[in-house]
């Protein structure tokens, strides 16, 4: 991360730049899993754990945690290393969960391949993603029914 425009008032990298990077990485993974275009439908639980310094080398890692009919949850992990000290181990600076929806040429949701978890980590990620999905849906439903009632 380099330029002044990407910095915040404290001289660190603006959180929005990290979000953009995470979104782009998640998009690439969603595209690969679904074999075509996929759009960001939602992002939740973006956690910033440490500041990112101007000049830091930033690496993003992402994987599909869960796949539904047309949507996928993608988990992203962001790590940094000082540009001038390769002996320093990578620091986990941020994590986020994105929901991507695969779309066809008309922008309509299209089906994605199912996810087949194999390792214990993949099984855990899928289980945790199912919990987040259930919470997202429950929250949306509760808000909508409240609006219906005129709460
Ligand atoms: C994402 C989008 C294609 C969904 O369209 P839609 O008409 O709501 O589609 P559906 O109701 O058929 O839902 C499709 C899937 O998306 C999921 N979904 C839709 N909105 C969601 C949201 N806000 N959060 C989580 N999941 C969502 C649904 O649960 C469903 O999942 P499933 O097929 O795996 O069961 C549409 O809202 C869209 O085009 N949004 C703009 C996306 C975009 O341009 N992003 C870039 C921002 S600049």
């Amino acid at each position: 991360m380099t330029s002044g425009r990407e910095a915040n008032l404290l001289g660190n990298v603006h959180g929005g730049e990290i979000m953009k990077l995470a979104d782009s990485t998640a998009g690439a993974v969603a595209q690969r899993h679904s074999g075509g275009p996929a759009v960001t439908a939602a992002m939740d639980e973006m956690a910033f754990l440490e500041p990112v310094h101007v000049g830091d080398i930033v690496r993003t890692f992402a994987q599909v945690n869960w796949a539904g009919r047309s949507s996928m949850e993608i988990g992203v992990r962001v790590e940094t290393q000082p540009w001038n000290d390769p002996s320093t181990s990578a620091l986990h600076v941020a994590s986020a969960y994105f929901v991507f929806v695969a779309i066809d040429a008309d922008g309509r949701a299209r089906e994605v391949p199912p996810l087949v978890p194999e390792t214990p980590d993949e099984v855990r990620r899928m289980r945790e993603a199912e919990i987040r999905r259930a919470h997202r849906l429950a929250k949306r439903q509760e808000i909508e029914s409240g609006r219906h009632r005129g709460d």
Side-chain angles (χ1 to χ4, degrees):
M1 287 275 162
T2 50
S3 96
R5 270 198 329 176
E6 293 168 350
N8 64 22
L9 293 172
L10 298 174
N12 296 318
V13 174
H14 197 289
E17 298 296 334
I18 302 300
M19 287 164 80
K20 187 175 176 187
L21 206 59
D23 185 29
S24 300
T25 309
V29 167
Q31 180 119 1
R32 258 190 216 179
H33 180 77
S34 68
V39 289
T40 317
M43 187 197 79
D44 60 19
E45 291 191 38
M46 177 105 209
F48 294 101
L49 311 171
E50 302 281 349
V52 179
H53 304 111
V54 171
D56 278 354
I57 295 166
V58 181
R59 289 194 190 92
T60 50
F61 303 87
Q63 75 284 315
V64 182
N65 289 335
W66 175 91
R69 193 189 67 82
S70 67
S71 67
M72 297 154 276
E73 188 200 87
I74 318 286
V76 184
R77 178 186 171 96
V78 186
E79 293 183 354
T80 60
Q81 234 178 347
W83 67 274
N84 56 354
D85 185 4
S87 67
T88 308
S89 52
L91 186 64
H92 179 197
V93 294
S95 281
Y97 300 105
F98 290 81
V99 179
F100 272 77
V101 177
I103 52 165
D104 62 20
D106 299 318
R108 279 192 302 262
R110 66 181 166 86
E111 285 194 25
V112 299
L115 195 66
V116 185
E118 283 166 6
T119 67
D121 258 352
E122 288 170 356
V123 171
R124 174 186 58 78
R125 287 198 190 108
M126 191 183 223
R127 188 181 60 80
E128 292 174 0
E130 273 162 5
I131 296 170
R132 281 186 293 272
R133 176 173 164 84
H135 278 255
R136 271 184 219 114
L137 293 177
K139 188 169 69 178
R140 200 199 297 183
Q141 239 167 27
E142 197 171 331
I143 288 171
E144 272 171 14
S145 55
R147 284 185 183 176
H148 226 66
R149 288 194 307 269
D151 288 357

